[in-house]
Amino acid sequence: MLHLRMIAPHHLTGQVVELIERTVGTTHLVVLEGAARDPEGDLVLCDVARESADELLQEMRSLGIGRSGSIAVENIDLSISTRADRAEEEAPGEAADAVIWEQLAESTHEESTLTITYSAFLIVATMIAACGVVLDNAILIVGAMAVGPEFGPLAGICTGLVQRLPKAAWRSTIALLVGFAAAIVATTVFSLVMDALGLFHPGMLDKPRPNTSFIWQPDPFSFVVAVLAGVAGMLSLTSAKSGALVGVAISVTTVPAGANAAVALSYGEFGQMWGSAEQLLLNLLGIIVSGSLTLLGWKLLWRTQHARMIRPPGAPRGGSGDA
């Protein structure tokens, strides 16, 4: 269940209450007239099943509540209420499958903005991966994959494309491209410094590297794995199962490919550099394509549930009854 807290102008409160009552999966409706001071209006509280939340939020925005008042959404970790149980049973579909597009857009916006923190994480991850490729150390490669924050902008691009939000897609694209460019340049300098200190040398890059040679030798499986990772990543974001994102991060070789390209560039190994660049682009393209298609599929699926989320006039509320 989700808890909604809304500040509605006095002249819209009746429409807000009516909308909540007509939406299946809602309960615990509270109206405090004149309670809000900034902005001035009525405070409206309710709980809603996750399956019905997106439809309700869209209708609220169409009333202009987001402009003239406010809408806040909170997760309810525990709700001991028969009414809440009935509301969840009434809502169509399953909570784990529900997509709240407003929440998705907000989370990807935060993770896909070019910030100092984002850039620092990507640069550090690429440097760790650089150590992994020259040492042929798979553990360092996996660690670098887990540290890399690049899935945020990738998810932002997918969300922007599916939701037709060009500014969001462009912002995410800039974060992705500028972030990787900065990481590769910084890691090239890092490689030269490590070479000057005697910790890196050309022979480490040229010798057989059975654990990491795949990074600069892309094959069809590179694209296949990226496609599967894109599907898993978007499912994780839309279902709020963020734990799966760690598995997604360590299944694609975006950061290691950027690191190998940087080290190869520092030693003039242009064959490895271009191979690594191809690996990087294949992974990015695969994730964007499959992630966008996954979101589009969810959007079409939940569109079929639209009619079931609005209660016909006069129909009894499934969430009513004694608690």
Side-chain angles (χ1 to χ4, degrees):
M1 295 288 288
L2 298 175
H3 179 67
L4 270 60
R5 184 184 74 249
M6 291 154 287
I7 296 178
H10 302 299
H11 67 282
L12 291 178
T13 302
Q15 297 180 59
V16 169
V17 171
E18 180 184 0
L19 178 59
I20 293 173
E21 291 179 336
R22 286 194 302 112
T23 303
V24 299
T26 58
T27 188
H28 302 153
L29 175 61
V30 177
V31 179
L32 301 177
E33 296 183 359
R37 292 291 180 267
D38 184 21
E40 186 175 339
D42 302 324
L43 182 62
V44 182
L45 310 172
C46 76
D47 295 342
V48 59
R50 184 179 174 87
E51 305 93 293
S52 301
D54 187 68
E55 181 71 21
L56 181 58
L57 288 173
Q58 290 187 32
E59 295 291 343
M60 289 293 179
R61 292 202 66 173
S62 68
L63 290 177
I65 301 301
R67 296 188 302 271
S68 56
S70 74
I71 306 173
V73 182
E74 301 173 333
N75 284 309
I76 299 177
D77 295 325
L78 176 63
S79 179
I80 304 175
S81 168
T82 302
R83 292 176 181 268
D85 294 340
R86 289 175 180 171
E88 288 188 314
E89 292 174 0
E90 180 187 32
E94 296 294 333
D97 297 334
V99 181
I100 304 176
W101 293 100
E102 294 285 348
Q103 187 179 60
L104 179 62
E106 182 66 24
S107 63
T108 53
H109 178 276
E110 181 179 350
E111 298 294 330
S112 62
T113 302
L114 185 62
T115 62
I116 294 176
T117 301
Y118 163 80
S119 301
F121 267 116
L122 190 54
I123 290 171
V124 170
T126 309
M127 289 180 177
I128 294 173
C131 295
V133 296
V134 298
L135 296 174
D136 195 35
N137 189 313
I139 295 177
L140 290 177
I141 294 297
V142 171
M145 290 175 174
V147 172
E150 73 279 7
F151 192 81
L154 289 168
I157 293 173
C158 296
T159 303
L161 291 175
V162 173
Q163 289 291 89
R164 298 179 182 179
L165 302 171
K167 289 184 179 180
W170 180 240
R171 182 189 61 249
S172 300
T173 301
I174 291 176
L176 190 68
L177 296 180
V178 174
F180 265 108
I184 291 173
V185 170
T187 304
T188 300
V189 175
F190 171 74
S191 177
L192 293 172
V193 171
M194 294 291 279
D195 179 79
L197 295 175
L199 298 175
F200 284 6
H201 57 79
M204 301 175 77
L205 197 65
D206 295 332
K207 70 179 181 180
R209 291 182 286 150
N211 292 323
T212 58
S213 60
F214 69 93
I215 292 172
W216 58 277
Q217 295 176 331
D219 57 27
F221 281 103
S222 301
F223 187 74
V224 170
V225 171
V227 167
L228 296 175
V231 173
M234 296 316 300
L235 288 176
S236 174
L237 284 179
T238 55
S239 64
K241 296 184 182 298
S242 58
L245 283 178
V246 177
V248 172
I250 62 177
S251 64
V252 290
T253 53
T254 48
V255 166
N260 201 82
V263 177
L265 176 62
S266 69
Y267 286 122
E269 294 282 352
F270 297 112
Q272 283 200 36
M273 185 191 74
W274 290 117
S276 301
E278 184 181 351
Q279 178 79 271
L280 175 60
L281 292 175
L282 278 175
N283 278 271
L284 296 179
L285 179 62
I287 293 174
I288 291 173
V289 170
S290 62
S292 298
L293 291 176
T294 300
L295 288 181
L296 184 60
W298 274 126
K299 195 170 188 177
L300 294 175
L301 175 64
W302 280 97
R303 184 174 295 174
T304 63
Q305 303 284 357
H306 174 80
R308 300 173 57 191
M309 294 181 184
I310 301 299
R311 185 180 291 105
R317 292 175 56 82
S320 63
D322 295 331

